[in-house]
Amino acid sequence: MNKVLNNLFEMQAGEKEFQDLDNTLIKESNKLLNAFVNQISPQDYEQIRDVVFSIAYLAKKSAFEIGFKTAVNLVMECKKE
């Protein structure tokens, strides 16, 4: 993600919508991970949890970038008409 979009993402990350999304991701990830909590060591569980949260964060940033670029493209198309 370029620097401008990254800065915009970081500014927006503190907003209520992003906090709600984070809470949902954490809740759902923990719910799915709980199936493994008794099957693996605590250290392995923490590593897997960290990987899951890293993937969720990357997906959230990527979705933000795609959405932003899509919105800009839509504005540009509307401006042409």
Side-chain angles (χ1 to χ4, degrees), residues 5-24:
L5 280 179
N6 193 47
N7 289 341
L8 184 57
F9 173 80
E10 292 301 327
M11 287 179 4
Q12 292 298 311
E15 297 296 321
K16 182 182 180 341
E17 293 84 6
F18 275 78
Q19 296 301 317
D20 291 345
L21 177 58
D22 284 343
N23 290 336
T24 299

Side-chain angles (χ1 to χ4, degrees), residues 9 18 21-22 24-29 48-64:
F9 173 80
F18 275 78
L21 177 58
D22 284 343
T24 299
L25 290 171
I26 290 168
K27 180 181 172 185
E28 293 302 316
S29 296
I48 292 169
R49 183 200 61 209
D50 291 349
V51 167
V52 168
F53 288 153
S54 293
I55 292 168
Y57 179 76
L58 176 61
K60 185 174 71 169
K61 281 184 82 169
S62 297
F64 177 83

